[in-house]
Amino acid sequence: MKKKLVSCLISFTLFSSLSTPLLAKAQENTEDIKGSLVIAGGGIGTSNHEIYEKFLSLAGGKEKAKVGIIPAASTTLQSSKKFKEDLVKYGANSDSIKILPVSNHDFSDTETDESTWKSQVNDKKLSSTIKGLTAVWFVGGDQTKIVDSLRQNNGSDSEALKAIWDIYRKGAVIGGTSAGAAIMSDVMITGGDSLGALKDSLENKENKHVSKNQRSQKEYEPLSIQKGLGFFQHGIIDQHMDERARLGRLAGAAYTSERDKEKNFAYGVDEDTAMVVNNKDQKIEVVGRSGVAVLDMSKAELVSKQKARSVLENIKVSYLSPGDQIDYHLKSFEFPKDKVETKGFEYYSFNALPATGVFTPYGRLKAYLSYSLVDNESMKSAKSYVYDSKGSGYEIAFQKDNDTNGYWRYTDGQKDDYSIVNVKMDITPKTFKFQPDRKTSLTYKKPTFSSSESPAYDSIKGNLLIAGGALGSSNSSVYNKFINLAGGKQAKIGIVPAASTKFDSSNQFKSDLIKYGVKAENIEILPISNHDFKGTSENESTWKTNMNSDKLAQKVKGLTGIWFVGGDQTLITGSLRNENGSDSKVLQAIWHTYKNGAVLGGTSAGAAIMSNTMLAGGDSYGALSYGFTNTYDDMNQQEGGPAYLEKGLGFFQYGLVDQHFDNKARLGRLIATAYEKGNKNQLSYGIDEDTAMVVNNKEKQIEVVGRGGITLVDLAKVQANDKFPSDYKNILISCITPGDKVNLTTKEIVINPAKTSTRKNEYYSEKVGPNTGLFSPHGVLRKFLAYDLVDNAQSKEIKSYAFNQNKGFELTFRKSAESNGYWAYTDGQKDDYSIVKVALDIKPIDVDIR
């Protein structure tokens, strides 16, 4: 089944001597290295052409590359064979790629005993083979197996390792992913999580003499390190940074074990991302789909506070994106010229909540620092937390400093691409106590919004494609689906720009359609708006009268597809409804076109308008705490506060729709709205970014298309305390991914048959703590439920918290009698989970932090 990273549990003592052989430098003379490194954070997708093509380019090009794959980290040869297949797909010669016989253990998917390979690492034949290579790649798994396979029992380098160093010095590229990245630095992190590492670094009491069996019963894992292979001599490297929330672990390791922290950064590489090291230029380039966290520990210090508790202060956190460069000698950063500074030009101005768990908007580190702090003029500091179920943990305070800055641009269509430099981070020990809230001081207001039901049409021939926002231009599955539903490349498509304040998104979508084969003359940006657009000579606010134009209505009736761009959903409804609330002639024409076979699509705001009750503002904490508001404060309200509802356009007849679901953590607001205004016999649907829900009205079925998932909320069995708002039991949560389908009337979930059930076949068996914020692994809801609950034999329930100051909510996710998980690999060897009918209880609490 799935390949799991097996951690070596060698405990590391904070005050042990750092000059011991364990951490002695692997190679002292590294100035003459002509080769390069490609250090990937794990989870590389087969479709990640940037990393594969960079690796092959550095290996001499597709035709000349001679690659050796070292399988030692894995328990099977599957990942090595898959990497070879991927290289061939990208143009490499199959005969020039060899899986090298380097391992200290047998592989489970072969008939031969590969444990005998350990004795061959000093053979001249193997060394000769390596010396003829232009590249070496280390697959993922357990990093200690790589080191043990290439080093002799006395710790010296084997002939095979010497040969790798020889070709590296002469110009070869050395690459690796996951465990294959961990071995790159001299100090190799072999185990631990952020909470365990911080306990080691700041307290150093609990974990020094804990047996392996005792550790397996803990909710966190202590930091463990070992001597790596040292190909990268300029700081510690960690991997799976974002997915496993390892910033605290990297900070702890760098503070306690890095001798040259005044000269070196520490690096945390995200999944599906690589840092490419050019030794000649002493620079690192970020390549791939996410980012690289960079820690400057040169001024970090452990300061004793009252009650003998120590605070780790003055860490500087930066986060680099693809295309950015790092000069590791000068400890400086370089950014593409098309990125603009955010300092003094912040786009956002909202009061960001602390990052407390899976209900936190922008709940992963890079996104949180970008939206909630660096590009937010209202925020000077922000906080997150990490703690165990007993309440023992830490407060992580992020603060803007004099040298803090952000850099922004669009990437892959209209996705925000941020780089962040020099955010100050302090880590303080705290204790947390949660108790039931017996007498809330929060003022919860029920919605006064009333929306007459849109007429139900049983004979709708058209379909819907409802995208959750941040749709990438490269997301071929979504674009091709929309085009096919519109009639193929002969489709006639109208784009409604009304939600935006500029034409950029409409022009971008038009160019994307052309790229995917639609004729330019068959695509028109429709003159539909109730406001002026920036950057044009025309006053588009005059278009408001167009909503009742017979000519425009007739044109709309001739379209086979209509697309609503993102922005502010209230601007769409305001551009298509008359002041008395009735449908304009153009809206009637859209309905006519839809009923007769056209596809209607939209992203972000263009998704929100699809249901009859439209969610237009608020966040999860605000909706659960304060309920609903009748006032709307433009775009800022989309970032937080009580929920705001308006009447949508009602094209989707089967429940509520919400969008930006994963990135803005909107489960709480969808639950509150569905309970107050929804039909409890229907599901409610939360659509992730870069993902679409495709609605087939004829078959009364939806399917998932794209790169994320859809969260399903079922309130059919919910129990609520009407005397105490937002006190719920038995909410059923399901999460489905591409290839899964749902019947809109029976609510039956049909899972992609390629996936296997996890029930009674759980891969993991670990005790897990609560999800608490930016330092908790698997921060996105679907992954939290997958790894920590449905695919974990030890877990019957898991918790997360949402709070601000002293008030909040305890979220308990439970395995129900109907719960199940389904798993498969997707895009290479990424885990793809679906989750069915996990029960959720929400309980108001008082919070005490000391």
Side-chain angles (χ1 to χ4, degrees):
M1 199 181 171
K2 298 175 285 297
K3 178 179 64 179
K4 179 182 175 185
L5 181 66
V6 180
S7 297
C8 175
L9 292 173
I10 302 171
S11 65
F12 174 74
T13 304
L14 174 63
F15 299 109
S16 64
S17 170
L18 297 182
S19 60
T20 61
L22 174 68
L23 297 179
K25 288 212 172 202
Q27 297 278 335
E28 292 293 344
N29 183 17
T30 59
E31 290 78 12
D32 59 342
I33 294 174
K34 297 178 181 178
S36 303
L37 299 171
V38 176
I39 306 172
I44 300 177
T46 300
S47 63
N48 194 327
H49 62 89
E50 293 93 347
I51 291 178
Y52 282 100
E53 290 177 356
K54 190 72 172 182
F55 180 70
L56 287 173
S57 174
L58 293 170
K62 298 173 183 179
E63 296 179 359
K64 296 181 179 180
K66 297 180 180 179
V67 183
I69 300 171
I70 294 181
S74 184
T75 57
T76 70
L77 285 179
Q78 181 181 359
S79 53
S80 298
K81 292 176 180 177
K82 186 68 176 67
F83 187 72
K84 179 175 180 177
E85 288 175 11
D86 290 342
L87 291 178
V88 173
K89 174 186 171 184
Y90 281 98
N93 187 333
S94 179
D95 294 335
S96 298
I97 306 169
K98 296 177 172 61
I99 297 175
L100 302 175
V102 177
S103 177
N104 66 349
H105 60 280
D106 190 22
F107 292 100
S108 62
D109 57 348
T110 67
E111 295 181 0
T112 58
D113 182 4
E114 289 83 8
S115 64
T116 60
W117 288 356
K118 171 70 175 176
S119 62
Q120 299 179 35
V121 290
N122 289 310
D123 286 357
K124 291 183 179 179
K125 183 179 179 181
L126 176 58
S127 298
S128 177
T129 298
I130 292 171
K131 288 180 179 180
L133 300 174
T134 62
V136 173
W137 183 267
F138 295 88
V139 301
D142 180 351
Q143 48 265 52
T144 63
K145 292 179 179 178
I146 300 175
V147 174
D148 187 59
S149 298
L150 284 170
R151 283 223 173 92
Q152 302 185 88
N153 293 335
N154 63 1
S156 62
D157 292 356
S158 65
E159 294 301 316
L161 183 52
K162 291 176 183 177
I164 294 171
W165 268 101
D166 182 61
I167 63 170
Y168 176 41
R169 279 201 165 88
K170 292 177 179 177
V173 58
I174 310 297
T177 183
S178 188
I183 54 98
M184 294 288 181
S185 52
D186 212 38
V187 175
M188 180 176 74
I189 302 175
T190 58
D193 54 29
S194 285
L195 181 55
L198 293 178
K199 285 183 175 291
D200 281 343
S201 305
L202 275 71
E203 299 176 34
N204 194 42
K205 296 174 183 177
E206 277 186 73
N207 303 315
K208 289 174 65 176
H209 306 292
V210 179
S211 70
K212 182 176 180 180
N213 182 59
Q214 286 174 312
R215 287 190 196 107
S216 69
Q217 300 304 311
K218 284 184 173 292
E219 300 168 352
Y220 51 87
E221 184 185 350
L223 175 67
S224 56
I225 64 170
Q226 189 175 314
K227 180 182 175 183
L229 298 185
F231 299 120
F232 182 71
Q233 287 282 307
H234 308 284
I236 297 177
I237 291 169
D238 207 349
Q239 14 78 49
H240 297 282
M241 178 58 50
D242 56 345
E243 172 61 28
R244 301 184 189 178
R246 285 176 167 170
L247 189 72
R249 158 170 129 160
L250 181 59
Y255 183 76
T256 57
S257 61
E258 173 60 71
R259 291 183 297 174
D260 298 325
K261 55 178 171 279
E262 292 189 4
K263 295 196 308 181
N264 295 330
F265 286 142
Y267 304 86
V269 191
D270 287 350
E271 293 186 355
D272 219 6
T273 307
M275 50 184 276
V276 179
V277 181
N278 183 318
N279 286 295
K280 182 180 178 181
D281 294 340
Q282 297 185 325
K283 288 188 177 180
I284 296 167
E285 180 186 4
V286 182
V287 175
R289 290 185 175 145
S290 189
V292 174
V294 182
L295 292 184
D296 185 348
M297 306 295 293
S298 59
K299 296 181 180 178
E301 57 182 339
L302 200 62
V303 180
S304 295
K305 299 290 184 178
Q306 58 182 342
K307 297 182 180 179
R309 305 186 90 183
S310 298
V311 179
L312 186 56
E313 295 183 334
N314 293 321
I315 302 168
K316 286 294 182 75
V317 179
S318 300
Y319 225 112
L320 284 294
S321 298
D324 298 343
Q325 292 191 344
I326 306 163
D327 187 314
Y328 59 75
H329 176 66
L330 297 177
K331 294 180 75 173
S332 63
F333 306 116
E334 299 175 20
F335 304 100
K337 292 181 179 179
D338 61 342
K339 280 193 172 179
V340 296
E341 294 186 40
T342 63
K343 191 172 185 176
F345 305 95
E346 291 85 357
Y347 181 79
Y348 294 95
S349 181
F350 65 94
N351 183 26
L353 295 174
T356 59
V358 294
F359 274 17
T360 299
Y362 312 113
R364 300 316 303 150
L365 180 69
K366 182 182 175 185
Y368 185 76
L369 293 182
S370 299
Y371 295 102
S372 298
L373 183 63
V374 174
D375 200 18
N376 189 337
E377 66 177 355
S378 296
M379 300 292 291
K380 294 182 179 179
S381 62
K383 293 179 180 179
S384 186
Y385 307 93
V386 63
Y387 45 85
D388 59 25
S389 59
K390 295 181 179 178
S392 173
Y394 304 90
E395 175 187 270
I396 301 99
F398 300 98
Q399 185 175 326
K400 288 178 181 175
D401 217 336
N402 292 332
D403 55 352
T404 302
N405 208 341
Y407 299 84
W408 171 90
R409 67 177 174 185
Y410 279 133
T411 183
D412 189 17
Q414 292 206 358
K415 296 183 179 181
D416 289 327
D417 176 31
Y418 280 101
S419 303
I420 301 158
V421 296
N422 297 323
V423 170
K424 183 175 179 286
M425 180 174 74
D426 299 334
I427 303 172
T428 305
K430 296 283 186 179
T431 56
F432 301 79
K433 190 174 183 180
F434 305 108
Q435 292 183 320
D437 186 354
R438 303 298 184 190
K439 188 177 180 181
T440 185
S441 60
L442 299 175
T443 305
Y444 182 95
K445 294 182 179 179
K446 285 185 171 289
T448 58
F449 164 80
S450 178
S451 174
S452 57
E453 290 297 318
S454 292
Y457 296 99
D458 292 330
S459 59
I460 295 176
K461 297 177 182 177
N463 301 290
L464 299 172
L465 189 146
I466 308 173
L471 180 62
S473 297
S474 64
N475 195 328
S476 59
S477 59
V478 172
Y479 279 96
N480 286 330
K481 190 72 174 181
F482 180 73
I483 292 167
N484 289 338
L485 291 172
K489 295 181 180 179
Q490 302 301 317
K492 296 181 179 180
I493 296 171
I495 300 171
V496 177
S500 186
T501 57
K502 298 185 294 184
F503 280 111
D504 291 2
S505 52
S506 298
N507 290 329
Q508 178 69 54
F509 189 73
K510 180 176 180 177
S511 66
D512 288 342
L513 291 176
I514 294 170
K515 181 179 77 172
Y516 284 102
V518 180
K519 293 180 180 179
E521 60 268 27
N522 288 354
I523 308 167
E524 182 175 351
I525 298 174
L526 302 174
I528 298 173
S529 175
N530 64 354
H531 59 280
D532 191 24
F533 285 83
K534 298 175 182 176
T536 69
S537 57
E538 184 176 357
N539 182 4
E540 289 82 8
S541 64
T542 61
W543 288 0
K544 185 169 183 178
T545 59
N546 289 349
M547 72 170 74
N548 287 304
S549 163
D550 290 324
K551 183 179 178 181
L552 182 57
Q554 195 62 36
K555 179 180 290 187
V556 166
K557 289 180 180 180
L559 300 174
T560 61
I562 298 171
W563 184 264
F564 298 86
V565 301
D568 183 342
Q569 47 265 51
T570 65
L571 297 178
I572 300 176
T573 55
S575 300
L576 286 171
R577 280 219 174 89
N578 297 309
E579 291 185 4
N580 64 3
S582 63
D583 291 357
S584 67
K585 290 182 179 180
V586 170
L587 182 53
Q588 291 173 27
I590 293 172
W591 267 105
H592 176 273
T593 306
Y594 174 42
K595 287 189 286 182
N596 283 279
V599 58
L600 306 184
T603 184
S604 186
I609 54 99
M610 292 290 180
S611 49
N612 190 54
T613 296
M614 180 175 75
L615 286 82
D619 66 349
S620 288
Y621 180 82
L624 292 172
S625 300
Y626 307 109
F628 298 80
T629 179
N630 294 325
T631 59
Y632 182 64
D633 183 20
D634 200 31
M635 293 289 286
N636 280 340
Q637 196 161 326
Q638 295 189 25
E639 301 301 330
Y644 175 73
L645 307 178
E646 280 195 9
K647 181 177 173 60
L649 299 184
F651 301 125
F652 181 63
Q653 304 270 303
Y654 301 97
L656 298 170
V657 171
D658 207 348
Q659 19 76 44
H660 293 284
F661 209 69
D662 51 352
N663 202 31
K664 297 193 178 183
R666 286 175 165 169
L667 178 62
R669 93 166 185 180
L670 183 58
I671 288 169
T673 305
Y675 181 78
E676 298 287 0
K677 302 302 297 181
N679 180 341
K680 294 181 179 56
N681 293 317
Q682 294 178 328
L683 297 174
S684 296
Y685 304 83
I687 308 170
D688 289 350
E689 295 186 351
D690 216 6
T691 307
M693 181 171 88
V694 179
V695 181
N696 185 317
N697 285 298
K698 182 179 179 181
E699 297 182 9
K700 293 182 171 54
Q701 179 178 268
I702 68 160
E703 65 174 313
V704 188
V705 177
R707 292 178 175 147
I710 296 175
T711 300
L712 311 174
V713 176
D714 188 346
L715 298 184
K717 298 180 180 179
V718 71
Q719 300 171 27
N721 183 350
D722 291 333
K723 296 181 180 179
F724 211 105
S726 301
D727 188 346
Y728 299 110
K729 291 183 180 179
N730 289 328
I731 302 165
L732 291 181
I733 305 294
S734 301
C735 302
I736 55 176
T737 59
D740 299 338
K741 299 178 180 180
V742 180
N743 186 294
L744 290 164
T745 54
T746 67
K747 301 193 290 189
E748 178 187 4
I749 300 171
V750 181
I751 300 296
N752 184 339
K755 294 179 181 176
T756 58
S757 170
T758 63
R759 189 166 186 170
K760 297 183 179 179
N761 190 33
E762 292 88 354
Y763 184 76
Y764 299 95
S765 183
E766 301 172 350
K767 191 172 183 180
V768 296
N771 187 289
T772 61
L774 304 180
F775 280 16
S776 289
H778 316 305
V780 177
L781 176 70
R782 174 164 51 92
K783 294 185 177 182
F784 174 54
L785 297 182
Y787 291 103
D788 287 358
L789 185 63
V790 298
D791 204 14
N792 188 346
Q794 276 202 49
S795 291
K796 293 183 179 179
E797 65 177 38
I798 53 176
K799 294 182 184 294
S800 183
Y801 295 88
F803 58 87
N804 185 26
Q805 297 180 346
N806 64 341
K807 292 290 182 181
F809 301 92
E810 178 184 73
L811 318 174
T812 303
F813 298 90
R814 298 181 283 107
K815 287 177 180 174
S816 70
E818 302 170 286
S819 296
N820 205 344
Y822 298 87
W823 171 90
Y825 278 133
T826 183
D827 189 16
Q829 292 202 11
K830 296 182 179 181
D831 290 329
D832 178 28
Y833 280 101
S834 300
I835 296 135
V836 173
K837 295 185 178 179
V838 164
L840 167 62
D841 302 335
I842 301 177
K843 179 70 66 176
I845 55 170
D846 289 320
V847 183
D848 183 20
I849 304 175
R850 297 185 182 183

